[in-house]
Amino acid sequence: MKLSVRFAGAAAVAALLATACAPATSGTSGSGEDERTGTLRVWLFQEVNNKPKEEVVDRVLAGFEKAHEDTEVSVEYIPVETRAQRIKAAFNDPKSAPDVVEYGNTDTAGYVKDGGLADVTADFSAWDEADDTDPTARRSVTVDGKVYGVPYFVGVRALYYRTDVFRELGLDVPKTQDELIATARKIRAARPGMYGLAVGGAYTYGALPFVWANGGELATGKGGSYAAAVDSPAARKGIAAYTSLFGDDNCPAATCAGMGGNDTVTAFASGKAGMAIGGDFSHQAVEAGKVKGSYAVVPLPGVEAGEIAPAFAGGNNIGVLKSTSHRTLAVDLMKRLAAKKAQEELFGAMGYLPTFTDVRQDVAKKEPFVKPFVRTLAAGTRFVPASPAWAQIDSSLVLPTMFQEIVSGKKDVAGASADAARKMNDAFGSAG
């Protein structure tokens, strides 16, 4: 088995510069070949602590190579931050492209439009493990009814809160969003040096549950036809609820307007916040912070008592490139990398939630911290529009700009959401 390779030194810089300048692809056709021997190239994302992931992957590769004689696999771990340039460049250059690739689940529609991912609908349907895939995860690999990969792991957010602070102040765990906002202000009033609920103007996926819980949507439509809905009355109500948390009575706008998700989790982990909206993937960071042993997690409450606010279902997928000359082998490797056994091992190594509902229930029994996130998933999650325009909307910071304009006082909710809707519709229109 070939060892995983990494970028290093001048070669890495040269490769990165070359891919950053690559032209946009207009579509890639399959090679038409289906070789059953040789070397398969795989690109996976480089994690902050990558060794545990490598160990899981290496076990999968050992089984694959044992099952396929005269076949070996070369794995390269690529930086997440530059994935778009590298992967799109690979679509244009099949000779240097991988056969199998890990990609963010919000990237699916864009990569399909670029013509880079292979349609594996029939392969997915024939996979005996596919029936247990979470419905939202399944949607993240689906564009216009066709499947372009398999879900690798899923991530959702819930409410972290300080058990010691709640006990000392005699506070109850909030059961509605109104109670959440009121509780945040009580904490801030009693502990002026602490945020009640750490929020961020650049924390899109922490804000969206407020929009969704109030009946709002990012956009309406499907396939190649979407229209922005962030300026609807329901969406505006959710936006108003979230932005009301910015101020001296909770999280001062001067500081919190520029904060992103990592900033809010860091504030909580360091003891500077009574509550925060964090992911299952935030658990290790919180455990390593000052609040270890003094916090708990519950699903983020909805508008009414007993409701769970819909969370964004983030995560990654594994796909096969259309240009591969090893299609059958590549599909088999894709399935092995994202199989139930591999996902369970990946959870143990990295804490990433499995995309299979049965496996997720099993790991929740073993690890209590997973339970509120599993409950959140079971209550129903949401996803971004399955449009190639989403990449432009996201990279252009349309939603963070909207939130920041409101909390800074530059625009009211109606004006900022109308501007955001216009920008989103421009992107949807240009995406075709």
Side-chain angles (χ1 to χ4, degrees):
M1 183 190 308
K2 289 188 177 180
L3 296 177
S4 304
V5 295
R6 298 173 176 80
F7 279 115
V13 175
L16 180 58
L17 290 175
T19 57
C21 297
T25 179
S26 58
T28 304
S29 59
S31 67
E33 300 178 34
D34 192 12
E35 301 172 9
R36 304 300 175 96
T37 60
T39 299
L40 273 75
R41 290 178 292 191
V42 178
W43 287 0
L44 301 176
F45 289 163
Q46 175 84 37
E47 310 296 340
V48 175
N49 178 17
N50 208 55
K51 189 62 178 177
K53 179 177 182 177
E54 290 179 39
E55 292 173 351
V56 173
V57 171
D58 286 347
R59 285 193 289 273
V60 173
L61 301 189
F64 175 83
E65 292 180 344
K66 184 177 181 180
H68 300 283
E69 294 184 4
D70 300 320
T71 300
E72 59 183 14
V73 182
S74 175
V75 180
E76 184 173 343
Y77 290 90
I78 65 174
V80 176
E81 295 79 8
T82 56
R83 70 187 188 281
Q85 298 98 312
R86 289 219 64 198
I87 293 174
K88 288 191 176 184
F91 294 164
N92 282 321
D93 185 13
K95 291 183 179 179
S96 65
D99 300 276
V100 178
V101 66
E102 178 180 358
Y103 63 93
N105 64 7
T106 59
D107 297 327
T108 307
Y111 291 167
V112 170
K113 182 187 179 185
D114 290 336
L117 294 176
D119 177 351
V120 295
T121 306
D123 307 283
F124 187 83
S125 298
W127 190 20
D128 58 0
E129 296 189 353
D131 287 345
D132 295 318
T133 302
D134 176 84
T136 302
R138 185 190 297 260
R139 286 197 296 273
S140 79
V141 294
T142 305
V143 178
D144 294 336
K146 296 181 179 179
V147 178
Y148 292 90
V150 296
Y152 193 31
F153 64 84
V154 66
V156 292
R157 293 163 176 82
L159 181 67
Y160 285 73
Y161 71 96
R162 290 279 297 274
T163 52
D164 55 341
V165 172
F166 272 62
R167 182 176 59 254
E168 291 165 9
L169 299 182
L171 300 172
D172 294 325
V173 178
K175 296 180 174 61
T176 67
Q177 284 191 359
D178 284 345
E179 289 183 9
L180 175 66
I181 295 169
T183 302
R185 289 171 177 160
K186 289 177 182 178
I187 295 172
R188 178 70 173 179
R191 304 283 177 87
M194 177 180 288
Y195 306 136
L197 172 65
V199 290
Y203 192 8
T204 300
Y205 298 119
L208 289 180
F210 290 79
V211 175
W212 289 324
N214 281 277
E217 299 287 349
L218 285 172
T220 57
K222 61 181 180 179
S225 178
Y226 278 95
V230 292
D231 56 345
S232 69
R236 285 174 174 172
K237 188 175 181 180
I239 293 167
Y242 183 71
T243 54
S244 73
L245 288 159
F246 292 81
D248 293 340
D249 60 353
N250 176 55
C251 202
T255 302
C256 301
M259 286 169 52
N262 288 342
D263 299 318
T264 63
V265 171
T266 298
F268 181 82
S270 64
K272 296 180 180 179
M275 297 181 288
I277 300 169
D280 53 278
F281 42 84
S282 306
H283 175 73
Q284 291 182 349
V286 176
E287 277 288 288
K290 293 182 179 180
V291 301
K292 181 177 181 178
S294 300
Y295 74 94
V297 185
V298 294
L300 187 68
V303 174
E304 301 294 334
E307 292 180 348
I308 295 175
F312 166 70
N316 289 354
N317 301 327
I318 301 283
V320 171
L321 265 67
K322 187 184 291 186
S323 60
T324 182
S325 59
H326 299 87
R327 191 186 190 286
T328 298
L329 290 173
V331 168
D332 182 47
L333 181 55
M334 172 188 72
K335 292 179 180 179
R336 288 172 182 261
L337 285 167
K340 290 184 177 182
K341 185 175 186 296
Q343 288 197 20
E344 185 172 9
E345 291 184 3
L346 192 66
F347 169 80
M350 306 295 294
Y352 295 152
L353 282 177
T355 63
F356 298 103
T357 53
D358 55 341
V359 179
R360 202 155 58 213
Q361 293 294 337
D362 288 343
V363 300
K365 294 176 183 177
K366 300 175 185 176
E367 296 288 351
F369 85 87
V370 175
K371 292 180 180 178
F373 301 103
V374 172
R375 284 183 59 201
T376 299
L377 283 163
T381 53
R382 301 291 181 86
F383 198 58
V384 298
S387 166
W390 179 254
Q392 179 184 339
I393 293 168
D394 193 31
S395 63
S396 300
L397 305 178
V398 172
L399 296 180
T401 298
M402 176 184 70
F403 294 126
Q404 290 166 347
E405 287 176 340
I406 295 167
V407 302
S408 68
K410 291 182 179 179
K411 295 178 183 177
D412 60 14
V413 172
S417 62
D419 286 347
R422 176 182 53 77
K423 294 175 185 176
M424 291 176 69
N425 283 329
D426 287 345
F428 288 135
S430 64

